[in-house]
Amino acid sequence: DIVMTQSPSSLSVSAGEKVTMTCKSSQSLLNSGNQKNYLAWYQQKLGQPPKLLIYEASTRESGVPDRFTGSGSGTDFILTISSVQAEDLAVYYCQNDHSYPYTFGGGTKLEIK
Amino acid sequence: EVQLVESGGGLVKPGGSLKLSCAVSGFTFSSYAMSWVRQTPEKRLEWVAIIIGGGTYTYYPDNVKGRFTISRDNAKKTLYLQMSSLRSEDTAMYHCARHGSLYYSMDYWGQGTSVTVSS
């Protein structure tokens, strides 16, 4: 199984700051046939199910603010929030959807100072 | 509006069985792959099953294979998860989720139904 490791486990920032969080996979998530990385990022707010933010490592889901950016390839991925807003308070999860079994990282909890 | 509503959760004894349902609306159910994903009390997310197309293809992680069965009734627009030989580690909130039409990721999730396995 592909192991997904996220860091840091939590971070606390002030509104307006830039945030980066990382996700590493134990195997490459790159499909050599189409050069797509099958890595997704989800945002989960308290009491809600996860919400898809980014798919294929860098494509923003419809309606997601452009302050959220996904990057990376192979085994190393980054989620960047360019200017954190109060409503970004949540846990962020990465997920392998390259191969079964689909696996998730342990999450990064974002707190707003 | 896309909606996914789970039901069927509850308290069950170890070794028992439970069948979860997920009623969907707002999209052509038969055209989408669907998954069940659970979230443990420790907030860890675990994918537990996927069904593709009409139900010909199903996949499971090893820890539920042989115990869980995913199925769908396209006419009723309902997804199911039959769970048997339940263990304490199956205790979680169970969400159904739709996979995107052009990509693999899960673009819509239900609120979930809670399953507790305890004697």
Side-chain angles (χ1 to χ4, degrees), chain B residues 1-49:
Chain B
E1 180 191 8
V2 172
Q3 290 193 329
L4 297 85
V5 180
E6 302 92 339
S7 61
L11 174 64
V12 61
K13 289 182 167 53
S17 298
L18 208 57
K19 187 172 185 177
L20 308 183
S21 299
C22 170
V24 312
S25 60
F27 65 99
T28 305
F29 178 59
S30 59
S31 297
Y32 289 81
M34 300 290 296
S35 277
W36 286 96
V37 178
R38 65 188 181 188
Q39 187 161 36
T40 69
E42 299 78 24
K43 301 304 181 184
R44 188 175 67 251
L45 288 168
E46 298 179 349
W47 169 80
V48 295

Side-chain angles (χ1 to χ4, degrees), chain B residues 38-108:
Chain B
R38 65 188 181 188
Q39 187 161 36
T40 69
E42 299 78 24
K43 301 304 181 184
R44 188 175 67 251
L45 288 168
E46 298 179 349
W47 169 80
V48 295
I50 187 171
I51 187 165
I52 300 171
T56 307
Y57 300 103
T58 58
Y59 297 94
Y60 308 87
D62 286 345
N63 61 340
V64 308
K65 194 178 298 182
R67 300 189 300 122
F68 289 13
T69 301
I70 188 171
S71 61
R72 66 194 300 164
D73 185 328
N74 288 335
K76 293 183 177 179
K77 297 185 179 181
T78 302
L79 179 72
Y80 302 101
L81 185 68
Q82 176 70 54
M83 304 185 295
S84 60
S85 302
L86 283 162
R87 308 166 179 167
S88 58
E89 55 263 37
D90 296 319
T91 293
M93 181 70 75
Y94 283 74
H95 299 272
C96 60
R98 188 188 85 168
H99 290 263
S101 59
L102 299 177
Y103 47 81
Y104 295 151
S105 306
M106 291 170 277
D107 60 355
Y108 284 93

Side-chain angles (χ1 to χ4, degrees), chain A residues 16-29:
Chain A
E17 288 188 23
K18 178 180 176 179
V19 162
T20 61
M21 57 189 75
T22 67
C23 174
K24 293 182 184 293
S25 58
S26 61
Q27 300 174 36
S28 177
L29 303 185

Side-chain angles (χ1 to χ4, degrees), chain A residues 28-31 35-39 55-57 72-74 77:
Chain A
S28 177
L29 303 185
L30 176 66
N31 183 313
Q35 291 301 298
K36 290 184 178 181
N37 286 279
Y38 289 102
L39 183 283
Y55 62 91
E56 294 170 5
S73 183
F77 301 91

